[in-house]
Structures are given as C-alpha cells and as structure tokens.
Amino acid sequence: MSQRIPDEKIEQVRQSLDIVDIVSEYVQLKKQGRNFQGLCPFHGEKTPSFSVSPDKQLYHCFGCGAGGNAFSFVMEIEDVSFIEAVEKLANKTDVTIPELDALSKTEESSDNKSKSWHEAHQLAAKLYHHVLTVSDEGKQAREYLRGRGFTKEVIDHFQIGYAPNSWEFLSRFLLKRDFSMEEMEQAGLVGLRDSDSKAYDKFRDRIMFPIWDRQGKMVAFGGRVLNDGKPKYLNSPESQLFNKSDILYYFHQARPLMKKKSEAVLFEGYVDVISAWRAGIDNGIGGLGTALTENQAKMLRRNIDRIIICYDSDHAGMQATYKNGQLLRNVGLEVEVALLPDGDDPDDYIRKHGSKRFNQDVILQSVTFMSFIFEFYRKGKNLQQEGDRLTYIENILQEISQLSGAVERDHYLRKLADEFSLSLEALKQEQMGLMKVAEKKQKRQIHKAVQTRVAKEPKKLLPAHENAERELIALMLHSRSIADHVQKEIGGNFYIDDYQAIAALIYSYYGEGYDPNPSHFIERISDSDLRSKATSLAMKRVNHDLSEQELNDYLKQIHQFPKYREIDQLKIQQKKAEEMNNFGEAALIAMQIIKMKQELKNH
C-alpha cells in the first residue's frame, strides 16, 4: 500500500501528528512515566496493559499483543484500509495528498457491492424523507409526528421518512436505477417472492428511521408502524453492512459530545434518543433492542468514563437496566440510572412534562447503579413479609459483596442496616463471608483457566540465545550502527524464525537509506504477527549507551548456540548408551561434552 502513496507524503502526515492525540480520541489515557497507559480497546480488561509511547510514536498492548503506529491503530480501530487510514489522518493535518483521490476510486471499485448497498440506503432514505415531508401520502405520518412533538428541524436532522403502504414503492424505484434486486434483498431493503422471485418492499406503512454505523454510513432502517400492523417496530435484517451487536443508534453524531463530556446517556431505541435530543441531550445514544453486547460496551468505554441508563420504567425496562448496567460496569464504566415514574418511557415523560423537567428531575437526578439495584430487588416483593424481606436482604448483600471499594461497601451496608434496623456488625460479617466464598470461586476459576491454558500451550523457555536475539533486535531498531555491526557478525543467523524475518527487514530498511524510526519501520511490515512482535521489541527500554562488551556478549550467545544445541544432542545419546549398558561409548560421549564445554568457556 505504501508504495502507492509517495513515502515522503506518508512521512509528512506521520510527523504532523502525535500518536497520543490520535489514540486519545478512542482511549482514555493517563501519563505513566515517559509513556501513557489505558485500557486496551482491542480486548476486554480491567487493568490497563495498553501503552502508548510519544517518543517512539508507537502503541503496544502487553495483554493481547496488538501494536503498531498511528496508521495501524486507525486501521484496526476503525476497520479501514491503509489508504483510508492515511486519508483520515491527513485530514487532521495541512498535508495534501492528491494521489488519494485516484486511490480512493480504486478502493471503491474493488468493493462495488458495499458501495451499491450504501448508495441504495441513502437513496431510500431520501425517497422516504421526501414522501414524509412533502407528499400527500405522507400526510397522516406528518400529523402523527407533529402530534408527538417532532418538529421539521428534528425530522430533517435525523432524516426521518415514511414508507407508503405499497408492496413495490421502493423496489420499483430501485429497479429503475438498475440496482440488483438480489443484492437489495441481501441488504435487507426488499424481499423476493418464492413464487416468481419478484421483489417486494420490506417496509410498508411505517415511519422510517435511518440507522448509521460508527463511521456515519447509512446501513439499515428502523420502521415504526403507523397504524395497527405488527410488529410495532421493525429493524432491517442483519447483513454484510448491518450488525446490531456492533452498532449504537446516533453514535456517529453523539460521539464528539460524549468525549467532550466523558459521559453518555443510553436509551432503549431511536425514538427515545430523538426525543431526548429535542430536550437538549446531545450525547444520547440508543440500543437496537434492549440487550447490549460486550462489543457495544467496549465501544462506549473507549470514549467515556461515565454512562447514565435511561430505560422504560416497566418490568422489561428494569430487567434490561440491571443486565446492561452489570455489563457496562464490568468493562470499567461508572454507571448511573435515571429513574422514570411507573409506566413512563423517556418519550412519554418529555411530551407530558417538557424538556426542562426531564433534564432537571430525571437526568440530573440519576442515582448510582447500586441505588438502582436496591429499587430493582424491591420490585414485586412485599417487604412486610419475612420471607420476601430475607430474600431481599440476601440479594442486596450479594451485590454489595461485588463492590471493589471498602467505603462504598460500608455506605450501602449502613443503608441496609438502617432500612431494616439490623445490626451493622452482623451484616458486615455476612457480607465478608460472601466475599470470601466469591474470592474462592474466582480463584478456582482462574486456576482452572490457567491449567487449561497450560495444558493446551507447551511450556516455552527463553534460553540465553533467544534473550540475546530479542535484545539485539530492539537495539537494531534504534541504531543503524548496531544493525550494521550485527549484520556483519551474524547476518541472518538468528535462530528464532520471527526474529530472523524482522532482522532481514531491518537490514533492508537501513539499506534503502532510512534513518532509525521504529514507527516508520513498523508501518512497512505487512504481516500482522510480525508487526506485533516488532512493536513489542520497539517498545522495550534499551540502553543507548551499550558498551562494546555487552554487545559482543549478545553476539557470543548467538554464535555459541549451535554448540549448546549439539551438546544437548550428545547428552541424549549419552543417556541412551547408558540405558543400553554401553558404558564405554557413554564415557567417550561424556569426554566429548566436557571438551566442547571447555572450548565454549575459553571463547
């Protein structure tokens, strides 16, 4: 890829940016010595193992092994090609790359299907929006939305539309524009009849809400039935473009404001998000169904520290708040809950009481997730009855036991004690017992996981020669003179295959006249595993004032490795000879081993 864009242009983009600024758009980073640390965006973790080096302009996760420079980070996090990553980063600088126009066209032509699907969704959205806003067919839908407080500004901002009650309104429109109906069926816009394979509209007599992916590309629709049809809400089926587990409604627009506030408000769906936006909440996002996925939770954690859940107040809404709150808390978010009166959803509340009261009395009065849990377990129980009361207390104690902070645990234990006039000491003892049981269970699970991993993965020892190879590669990445010396002394005779490959790439890199630049070098490695290993070594702290003796010691370990390997083979032969009672041969082999060890010692 890099050969298709002038190398000097890529270098200009790289030098114009700081990787810390780029990564900070996705990960909450904190200064730790010379580097910055945060939770890895590529795998779930609670303890930061993701490190970013401003000096080396590299990132590396010591947990999952992900690593690279600013370009590879954007490629990985945004799931884009190298050219798209260059374009995204170039747009943040004053560097202009005319070649990108031609390259973008080439990239687009290589994926005509995705381009066609995006274009079809955009055209469908414009058509539905036109029908809603200016046609007679959309009159009933317009009146319905006006009655629910949807202004023209809201309808235009969210590109809301209306699909007429017709079996071929959209399919006919797309056919005239030469779209393949088979592809449109795969994209979820039309269906194909079994009898004659003719296309028909999937959405009929529905108010249409476009759904965008993280990059702001339209990938699906949500349709709310206008009259008495079923189901009330219908989303596009999952497709190559649309994966509900990776998408949150309005995320692409709300994200800058979420990051600015380090907070988001999570709603159940698009109608609540839109109503909240009307009420002035510009950092609201919505699920496409009540169950959040771990991918969505991690996506939020990369951008914010705190989230407020504002779901319906019915039984299903409470259950979803509890389940999703646990998931969000487990990925490291501070979770709060905005409670609504019984029977209300956010849209209902805003229409009945207005935006000001929704903000002041609901969002600003949000409670901690633990306070919500008190309410959650109280629902459906008669706490005057002894059985219900004991079950409630046991449930709350289990939840308190999962809290990591001692002060927080003490606070809620006191609350529980006050509520039922219980002994605080008795509650503490019970809670400590539950914590010990949970800790033992966790230790058993960790031990089992470790044992399983050990059983599956062979033990890997790091002999002296391998440590020497690691140190030499790390040094070579930062010093042309050391690389030249190593090349002269051992050339490609590294015994670890990956290090041999990286060394060859380093020799080639300096041979092309480049100066030491780990970020630039790593960008040229196309193999992801090699790139990860090279990044890990580049992030190592190296001794730039290495003495000649230390360098020669590393080289000596590699020079002597074949001899050590030969000695190991001789030891095996010696043991076999002894087992066969051939003690004369065993003695000769032993003498040979002693001689070889002496030679190694003298060198």
Side-chain angles (χ1 to χ4, degrees):
M1 281 290 191
S2 59
Q3 293 175 353
R4 299 168 66 187
I5 303 175
D7 208 53
E8 62 270 17
K9 287 287 186 182
I10 295 172
E11 188 60 21
Q12 284 177 31
V13 174
R14 186 191 300 104
Q15 291 182 1
S16 300
L17 295 165
D18 184 349
I19 193 170
V20 175
D21 294 334
I22 302 303
V23 174
S24 293
E25 293 181 21
Y26 305 85
V27 181
Q28 304 287 317
L29 295 175
K30 292 181 180 177
K31 192 88 163 63
Q32 198 81 312
R34 297 179 68 174
N35 293 344
F36 289 79
Q37 281 195 329
L39 295 172
C40 179
F42 305 116
H43 82 287
E45 62 177 15
K46 292 183 179 179
T47 304
S49 61
F50 185 81
S51 181
V52 182
S53 168
D55 297 337
K56 299 173 183 178
Q57 289 295 294
L58 293 171
Y59 69 92
H60 182 70
C61 175
F62 296 93
C64 70
N69 61 13
F71 295 118
S72 56
F73 180 82
V74 172
M75 288 169 68
E76 191 77 21
I77 200 89
E78 294 281 4
D79 191 23
V80 296
S81 68
F82 176 77
I83 289 171
E84 290 172 309
V86 172
E87 186 173 16
K88 282 177 176 290
L89 292 177
N91 288 336
K92 298 176 183 292
T93 73
D94 296 329
V95 181
T96 57
I97 308 179
E99 294 84 358
L100 278 175
D101 294 334
L103 290 171
S104 295
K105 289 175 183 175
T106 305
E107 289 293 314
E108 287 174 10
S109 65
S110 69
D111 196 0
N112 287 327
K113 180 184 279 190
S114 293
K115 181 183 176 184
S116 172
W117 290 16
H118 284 305
E119 187 180 345
H121 277 89
Q122 288 166 353
L123 286 171
K126 288 179 182 177
L127 180 66
Y128 291 145
H129 186 69
H130 175 80
V131 172
L132 173 67
T133 54
V134 300
S135 76
D136 291 337
E137 288 174 296
K139 185 178 179 182
Q140 185 184 358
R142 280 198 303 276
E143 290 175 350
Y144 170 82
L145 288 171
R146 283 173 186 162
R148 297 194 61 153
F150 283 64
T151 63
K152 184 179 185 303
E153 180 192 10
V154 170
I155 289 169
D156 289 345
H157 182 77
F158 289 91
Q159 299 177 48
I160 301 168
Y162 172 67
N165 194 11
S166 164
W167 287 89
E168 52 186 16
F169 175 74
L170 178 63
S171 52
R172 245 193 350 252
F173 174 82
L174 294 174
L175 265 172
K176 285 181 181 178
R177 283 152 183 80
D178 297 324
F179 284 94
S180 160
M181 289 301 100
E182 288 75 16
E183 286 191 11
M184 294 302 97
E185 190 265 342
Q186 293 170 26
L189 289 171
V190 304
L192 298 176
R193 287 200 295 256
D194 292 334
S195 57
D196 56 9
S197 295
K198 284 193 175 179
Y200 63 89
D201 291 7
K202 276 281 186 77
F203 295 98
R204 303 177 300 279
D205 193 28
R206 288 182 180 272
I207 295 169
M208 301 296 288
F209 300 89
I211 296 170
W212 301 267
D213 65 13
R214 286 182 293 174
Q215 285 78 44
K217 294 178 181 176
M218 204 175 292
V219 294
F221 285 100
R224 187 200 188 283
V225 71
L226 187 58
N227 294 301
D228 298 324
K230 297 287 182 181
K232 183 178 179 181
Y233 287 98
L234 177 68
N235 285 337
S236 296
E238 295 209 344
S239 69
Q240 183 179 316
L241 294 184
F242 179 47
N243 184 344
K244 284 192 289 187
S245 66
D246 291 331
I247 290 175
L248 290 165
Y249 181 72
Y250 201 58
F251 181 83
H252 70 298
Q253 290 275 32
R255 182 177 176 179
L257 296 150
M258 286 163 48
K259 289 186 70 63
K260 185 177 180 181
K261 299 175 181 180
S262 197
E263 174 188 283
V265 184
L266 177 65
F267 298 97
E268 283 191 49
Y270 29 83
V271 172
D272 289 337
V273 173
I274 294 168
S275 296
W277 186 83
R278 283 163 36 210
I281 295 170
D282 48 17
N283 60 335
I285 38 93
L288 300 171
T290 54
L292 277 187
T293 66
E294 191 171 350
N295 279 349
Q296 290 168 323
K298 288 177 182 176
M299 188 165 78
L300 289 166
R301 182 65 187 90
R302 289 197 292 266
N303 292 275
I304 56 174
D305 291 322
R306 177 171 174 263
I307 191 160
I308 300 170
I309 303 175
C310 186
Y311 282 0
D312 296 0
S313 58
D314 59 12
H315 177 72
M318 294 280 282
Q319 290 284 345
T321 299
Y322 176 76
K323 182 179 179 182
N324 292 339
Q326 295 277 26
L327 176 62
L328 292 163
R329 188 171 65 175
N330 287 341
V331 299
L333 282 165
E334 178 189 342
V335 180
E336 294 192 0
V337 179
L339 298 170
L340 290 159
D342 284 347
D344 272 352
D345 61 32
D347 180 52
D348 291 333
Y349 189 94
I350 291 167
R351 285 189 292 116
K352 283 193 285 189
H353 304 291
S355 301
K356 187 175 180 181
R357 278 194 59 185
F358 180 70
N359 276 281
Q360 291 183 348
D361 298 348
V362 178
I363 300 301
L364 292 177
Q365 298 301 317
S366 59
V367 299
T368 65
F369 187 57
M370 194 63 213
S371 292
F372 161 79
I373 286 174
F374 275 77
E375 294 297 320
F376 174 74
Y377 280 115
R378 190 177 280 114
K379 287 280 184 181
K381 288 187 175 64
N382 180 358
L383 297 183
Q384 300 304 313
Q385 292 185 359
E386 186 178 13
D388 278 5
R389 187 164 64 251
L390 288 173
T391 300
Y392 171 78
I393 292 168
E394 185 179 343
N395 287 334
I396 295 297
L397 282 172
Q398 288 279 6
E399 295 287 348
I400 292 173
S401 299
Q402 295 177 35
L403 298 174
S404 57
V407 173
E408 194 178 9
R409 290 196 300 270
D410 184 75
H411 172 78
Y412 290 112
L413 284 171
R414 290 179 187 277
K415 181 177 178 180
L416 190 63
D418 291 345
E419 186 175 1
F420 295 102
S421 301
L422 297 170
S423 161
L424 179 60
E425 287 306 313
L427 288 177
K428 282 184 176 179
Q429 286 180 16
E430 183 73 15
Q431 181 261 319
M432 287 298 293
L434 290 170
M435 276 188 74
K436 287 177 181 177
V437 170
E439 284 172 4
K440 285 181 182 178
K441 184 179 178 182
Q442 187 180 32
K443 284 179 181 177
R444 284 197 301 269
Q445 289 173 340
I446 292 170
H447 179 72
K448 186 177 179 182
V450 169
Q451 292 298 104
T452 304
R453 184 173 177 182
V454 168
K456 288 182 178 178
E457 296 179 7
K459 290 182 180 179
K460 185 180 179 184
L461 300 174
L462 288 179
H465 81 92
E466 184 169 345
N467 282 324
E469 290 186 9
R470 282 172 54 82
E471 294 297 329
L472 285 177
I473 294 286
L475 289 161
M476 289 161 65
L477 285 165
H478 295 90
S479 169
R480 181 203 291 268
S481 62
I482 289 178
D484 289 344
H485 185 68
V486 172
Q487 185 175 15
K488 180 181 175 183
E489 288 293 321
I490 61 173
N493 291 329
F494 285 78
Y495 294 96
I496 306 299
D497 290 343
D498 287 340
Y499 298 159
Q500 186 181 80
I502 295 169
L505 290 170
I506 292 172
Y507 299 152
S508 173
Y509 180 76
Y510 289 133
E512 292 177 43
Y514 294 113
D515 291 325
N517 186 328
S519 175
H520 184 209
F521 169 76
I522 282 162
E523 176 192 306
R524 294 158 55 90
I525 303 177
S526 56
D527 183 274
S528 59
D529 288 337
L530 273 187
R531 186 168 60 244
S532 175
K533 286 182 172 65
T535 304
S536 174
L537 294 175
M539 293 285 282
K540 277 173 64 66
R541 184 173 293 179
V542 296
N543 180 11
H544 293 283
D545 298 322
L546 188 77
S547 69
E548 186 177 345
Q549 180 60 49
E550 288 173 299
L551 179 59
N552 287 332
D553 285 345
Y554 290 138
L555 292 169
K556 181 179 176 181
Q557 291 291 344
I558 297 170
H559 277 305
Q560 292 185 340
F561 173 65
K563 286 284 187 185
Y564 282 113
R565 191 162 54 182
E566 191 178 342
I567 289 171
D568 289 339
Q569 292 298 319
L570 286 171
K571 285 179 179 177
I572 293 170
Q573 292 176 28
Q574 181 187 12
K575 187 175 181 182
K576 284 182 179 178
E578 289 170 349
E579 288 172 352
M580 296 178 69
N581 296 323
N582 195 343
F583 297 110
E585 184 180 347
L588 289 172
I589 294 172
M591 290 174 65
Q592 191 177 352
I593 291 172
I594 293 169
K595 182 181 178 183
M596 290 179 69
K597 284 184 174 179
Q598 190 62 43
E599 288 174 354
L600 286 170
K601 187 177 180 181
N602 292 336
H603 284 82

